[in-house]
Amino acid sequence: PRRWLCHAALLLGLLALFLAKINSETHVNRIQPERVGQLTDLEAKNEARRQAALESRGDEVADIRFAEDGSGDFLDKAGMDQADLKYMDQLEKPAVPDWKKGKKGRTTDGPADDGLESKIGGKEKTEGVATEALEKDAEKEPIVMSAKDLDIANKLDTLNLNVIRFLILLAILIVVTDYLLRANVYQESYLPLPLPSGWMMTAPPAVVERPEQARRSMQDELARLIKRGDSFIYLTDDPSQARSLPEALPRLGKKWKMVDLLHVSDADSTITDEFVFETLWYGRSSFVADAPARARELLDGIIELLDKRKIARARVRQTVHVVWDFKEPLPESIRSAFARVALATGFSLIICRNS
């Protein structure tokens, strides 16, 4: 575990994907191949048309060429009719690429008005439209490069996006793995989620010592265990601490999927050790016992029943925590006996440092 290092890496990956998308859409997509080849093809077509005209009208070719003759004066137009002249004018016009043919002339809409106000207003309107259109054309001006370089640019852009997506998936995998590794480490765990205990990549320790300078208050610690999907029995010799706990704790959020927190006392004989153990085993409720004698009796009964479940190789789906919060320390014999049966059955003993 490295605190928030992997989370920062994931955020940087998402930022990289966002910037790569901007680069792809606003820069790479504007690249267009050079039109030198297109212009060459147009000139070749025009030359072929001139050669065809020369062959079909060979008798009209001027025998004498003067210095002031243009490039299109190789035919004698004096004897041509109107249709032939029109055809030759089309041949002599310079070639216009297809990309220039799409441009439209800018004209003002509406009927003409010879008034002074309309001329002034029309001029301002025309200049505004022209300026806006020019700015728009300038923003969308394509980037020109050779077809080979364009192919390389597209391949690099695709490779860039695919690598970033792969790294984001890898970062998500690392974050999930890191979370599952930290989940049962007291000083490193965060964001409790009701996930199955079998998903955790580290088993809960049989005995955990809660430090005096704990990360959270006791009520927050118990609420966190419920949010993890676990159950607990809180054994304490402080009645005021037991009374400060609510009657139910939320599994999700602050008030969703509430789990009952039952109080065990000496006067109530209906809550037996077997009832407490089975309820904890299936995660139906959690318990609080603030009578010292009853708390020790419950702990001994839980150890005895766990020994039987260990022989049967049974294990809880969600971890069950036994929280020992007494002023006097827990006897070492009871501690070692609990540790012997806890690892095999999925129970955990949390001992407060002041105990």
Side-chain angles (χ1 to χ4, degrees):
R2 291 292 182 270
R3 294 292 178 181
W4 305 106
L5 184 62
C6 55
H7 303 81
L10 177 58
L11 292 178
L12 287 176
L14 294 174
L15 177 61
L17 180 61
F18 175 72
L19 296 178
K21 283 284 190 180
I22 293 178
N23 174 71
S24 178
E25 294 177 2
T26 63
H27 187 79
V28 179
N29 288 349
R30 289 170 51 201
I31 301 176
Q32 295 184 7
E34 290 180 343
R35 297 186 175 90
V36 176
Q38 298 179 9
L39 295 176
T40 304
D41 294 340
L42 288 174
E43 292 177 357
K45 291 179 180 179
N46 291 333
E47 182 63 26
R49 292 168 63 186
R50 283 194 291 268
Q51 289 296 332
L54 180 63
E55 293 175 359
S56 62
R57 298 178 179 271
D59 56 344
E60 298 177 4
V61 176
D63 295 330
I64 302 174
R65 300 297 300 274
F66 298 95
E68 62 272 14
D69 288 345
S71 59
D73 295 335
F74 63 98
L75 294 177
D76 186 6
K77 300 181 181 179
M80 294 185 181
D81 56 15
Q82 193 67 24
D84 292 338
L85 290 173
K86 185 177 181 181
Y87 174 74
M88 294 307 300
D89 290 339
Q90 291 294 331
L91 285 178
E92 294 172 5
K93 286 183 178 180
V96 180
D98 293 337
W99 59 275
K100 283 189 175 181
K101 293 179 181 178
K103 292 187 176 181
K104 299 179 180 179
R106 299 183 180 91
T107 57
T108 56
D109 298 333
D113 191 352
D114 295 333
L116 179 61
E117 295 180 358
S118 63
K119 290 183 179 180
I120 296 175
K123 182 177 181 182
E124 293 178 353
K125 182 178 179 181
T126 304
E127 291 179 352
V129 172
T131 304
E132 183 181 356
L134 288 175
E135 292 177 355
K136 188 175 181 181
D137 290 343
E139 292 177 357
K140 294 184 178 181
E141 183 179 356
I143 303 171
V144 179
M145 62 173 57
S146 65
K148 182 180 179 181
D149 292 340
L150 175 58
D151 184 59
I152 295 176
N154 288 329
K155 289 181 179 179
L156 290 176
D157 182 50
T158 303
L159 178 63
N160 184 41
L161 292 172
N162 291 337
V163 168
I164 292 176
R165 293 189 184 102
F166 171 77
L167 292 178
I168 289 177
L169 292 177
L170 181 61
I172 292 174
L173 178 62
I174 293 175
V175 168
V176 172
T177 303
D178 178 74
Y179 176 85
L180 298 178
L181 285 171
R182 294 194 204 188
N184 288 322
V185 180
Y186 179 79
Q187 295 295 341
E188 296 288 346
S189 61
Y190 66 97
L191 188 62
L193 297 174
L195 301 176
S197 298
W199 290 11
M200 307 306 168
M201 303 185 71
T202 54
V207 180
V208 181
E209 291 190 0
R210 182 173 180 266
E212 294 183 5
Q213 301 296 329
R215 298 175 62 186
R216 294 167 286 266
S217 65
M218 180 55 66
Q219 183 172 342
D220 292 338
E221 293 279 11
L222 299 177
R224 178 180 171 275
L225 296 179
I226 295 297
K227 291 181 182 295
R228 281 168 46 101
D230 301 341
S231 56
F232 66 86
I233 177 169
Y234 179 54
L235 308 177
T236 181
D237 57 356
D238 187 358
S240 61
Q241 180 71 19
R243 287 194 297 269
S244 66
L245 298 175
E247 295 182 355
L249 292 172
R251 185 80 75 188
L252 295 174
K254 294 184 177 180
K255 56 181 180 180
W256 292 350
K257 298 188 66 175
M258 303 297 291
V259 178
D260 293 331
L261 185 58
L262 305 179
H263 289 254
V264 182
S265 62
D266 293 332
D268 191 357
S269 59
T270 58
I271 301 180
T272 62
D273 295 351
E274 290 78 7
F275 173 78
V276 172
F277 181 80
E278 293 296 336
T279 304
L280 291 172
W281 185 273
Y282 294 103
R284 297 190 183 101
S285 300
S286 294
F287 296 89
V288 177
D290 56 359
R294 184 73 176 101
R296 292 189 181 90
E297 181 184 346
L298 279 170
L299 183 56
D300 293 337
I302 288 174
I303 294 175
E304 181 181 354
L305 292 171
L306 282 178
D307 194 25
K308 296 179 180 179
R309 297 294 169 94
K310 180 184 177 182
I311 296 174
R313 297 183 179 181
R315 185 181 180 87
V316 292
R317 180 177 177 272
Q318 293 292 135
T319 304
V320 178
H321 304 270
V322 178
V323 183
W324 179 267
D325 188 11
F326 275 66
K327 294 180 181 178
E328 61 182 64
L330 183 68
E332 187 63 30
S333 58
I334 297 179
R335 179 173 177 165
S336 58
F338 189 95
R340 178 176 54 84
V341 296
L343 286 176
T345 55
F347 273 62
S348 179
L349 177 62
I350 301 176
I351 302 176
C352 296
R353 184 60 64 85
N354 57 353
S355 299

